[in-house]
Amino acid sequence: MFARSLLLVLLGLACLQSFTTANNGNGPDQCCFKYQTDPIPVKVITAYKETDPRCQKHGVIFTVKEGRKVCADPDVKWVQNLIKKIDKQMYESST
């Protein structure tokens, strides 16, 4: 009877540990799982950021005027061109 109770307690602790580990706040904030395939007009983009290196897929997250987040593949030419345009606009507005 003691062994069964001990096993039950240990099983409960193992479940609690796995639940605590799964909710760990040390992971990346946002990752991309799918990419936008059509180009986004630069005039609707308010910001962008690259995904955390810990994400499985490398990506760029564009924030559009409505506040929506859109993931894009940083290796695609239209994404690279958008980033250059946005960086240029930010540089020109700061000078």
Side-chain angles (χ1 to χ4, degrees):
M1 186 67 175
F2 177 74
R4 189 177 282 177
S5 297
L6 181 62
L7 180 62
L8 188 58
V9 169
L10 291 175
L11 184 61
L13 289 173
C15 289
L16 183 61
Q17 175 64 31
S18 66
F19 178 73
T20 305
T21 304
N23 289 323
N24 189 353
N26 294 330
D29 290 335
Q30 293 180 321
C31 293
C32 291
F33 300 102
K34 289 173 52 177
Y35 294 134
Q36 168 81 16
T37 54
D38 298 324
I40 305 166
V42 71
K43 63 185 176 187
V44 300
I45 298 172
T46 58
Y48 80 91
K49 70 175 185 173
E50 292 189 30
T51 57
D52 192 287
R54 295 174 288 175
C55 294
Q56 277 187 322
K57 291 176 95 172
H58 183 62
V60 175
I61 302 173
F62 292 108
T63 304
V64 295
K65 287 185 178 178
E66 304 90 37
R68 190 170 50 97
K69 309 279 189 204
V70 180
C71 283
D73 185 348
D75 297 327
V76 176
K77 193 69 175 166
W78 69 262
V79 175
Q80 296 169 0
N81 289 339
L82 274 178
I83 290 171
K84 286 178 187 174
K85 286 179 185 178
I86 294 166
D87 287 345
K88 183 178 177 186
Q89 287 176 352
M90 296 300 277
Y91 175 75
E92 289 174 353
S93 67
S94 68
T95 56

